[in-house]
Amino acid sequence: MTRQGFEAARESSEQLNAVIAEVDDAQWEAPSACAGWRVIDVIAHLAALAHEAVEPPPPDPTAPSNRERYHDLRVDQRRGLSHAEVIDEWKHYGPRQLDLLEMAQQPPSADTPVEVPGLGTYPRHLLANTMAFNVFCHLRNDMLAPDGPLSIPVPPPTDRLVAPAVEFMLAGVPQMQGPELTATVTAPLVLELTGPGATTVTVRPAKGPHTRLTIEAGASGTTRIRSAATDFVAWGTKRKPWRNFCQLTGDQAAAVGFLDCLDII
């Protein structure tokens, strides 16, 4: 357990706020790199996540069970708001979400399992990494050039920003897709991520029926997938094709099935 996820969430949020200050009305209406969302809709999504973290809504049996469709619903509910109203929601609830995430780093509740609907179960302290991932990913992949429409400079990605985002992604791999993804892993696959956020893990097959694949630290296998960690944030979420960024060695066919199926939300 560390505070790295919280610190990354706070730093990426500060960078996002600096970008927000530079965006004009026309730019808010520009299509983002997230299909179907304008730039302002990306902020609406982050605002909705922060709002629900601070003030959890009552259970809604009519809400989509698919997490991506649920996110679309929450964005659609905000399409009638002005740019200023969307930004105000983010600026009101984003800092309060950070306050909660900072408190979640403290024992004894830090290791308490928390279910994130549609995404799996995580220790409470790791929820900070979800915010670190969301803000980093949406800002740099959906809003900013070269993939997004905003040509606004931000500091280059650093290990302290990327590593917590990658940690959440890897924690979610066994849980987010369940049997569909597990079925693609029939032998150990080594995932080597380089540059800022560098780490090496092994994706292991399920040990039996009704169990999941597992992720363990280190390299243990002859089939290797190598990519920059910053690129993993893009291709691991299906924003970009993995074939443009990954180098495969060993049993490439075993790796391809896993990579084609992987879709981290």
Side-chain angles (χ1 to χ4, degrees), residues 101-148:
L101 295 176
E102 186 171 26
M103 289 188 293
Q105 306 304 304
Q106 305 302 319
S109 64
D111 292 319
T112 302
V114 177
E115 182 181 359
V116 181
L119 298 183
T121 300
Y122 305 88
R124 187 177 299 277
H125 70 86
L126 198 67
L127 296 182
N129 295 59
T130 67
M131 186 179 187
F133 162 75
N134 278 315
V135 178
F136 179 89
C137 180
H138 285 297
L139 172 62
R140 292 175 181 266
N141 289 284
D142 299 332
M143 294 176 62
L144 297 179
D147 299 303

Side-chain angles (χ1 to χ4, degrees), residues 188-190 202 204 219-224:
L189 304 173
V190 176
T202 300
R204 289 195 168 276
S220 180
T222 58
T223 300
R224 186 173 291 253

Side-chain angles (χ1 to χ4, degrees), residues 191-193 224-228 231-232 235-236 240-249 252 255 259 262:
L191 177 60
E192 180 187 1
L193 301 177
R224 186 173 291 253
I225 304 162
R226 192 171 191 268
S227 165
D231 292 333
F232 174 59
W235 64 256
K240 295 183 179 180
W242 66 262
R243 286 174 173 81
N244 293 354
F245 303 98
C246 295
Q247 298 174 344
L248 307 185
T249 56
Q252 297 191 22
L259 292 170
L262 182 65

Side-chain angles (χ1 to χ4, degrees), residues 1-11 13 46 49-50 52-54 90 93-107 109-110 114 116 123-135:
M1 180 183 66
T2 70
R3 286 174 54 91
Q4 291 177 343
F6 166 72
E7 297 294 348
R10 181 169 62 182
E11 185 173 349
S13 294
L46 295 173
L49 290 175
E52 293 190 7
V54 176
W90 161 250
Y93 287 100
R96 286 158 179 78
Q97 183 182 18
L98 287 169
D99 289 343
L100 289 177
L101 295 176
E102 186 171 26
M103 289 188 293
Q105 306 304 304
Q106 305 302 319
S109 64
V114 177
V116 181
R124 187 177 299 277
H125 70 86
L126 198 67
L127 296 182
N129 295 59
T130 67
M131 186 179 187
F133 162 75
N134 278 315
V135 178

Side-chain angles (χ1 to χ4, degrees), residues 71-87:
H71 292 330
D72 286 335
L73 172 66
R74 292 302 185 230
V75 167
D76 288 345
Q77 290 172 339
R78 288 161 170 80
R79 287 188 185 272
L81 300 179
S82 68
H83 300 160
E85 288 172 322
V86 171
I87 294 166

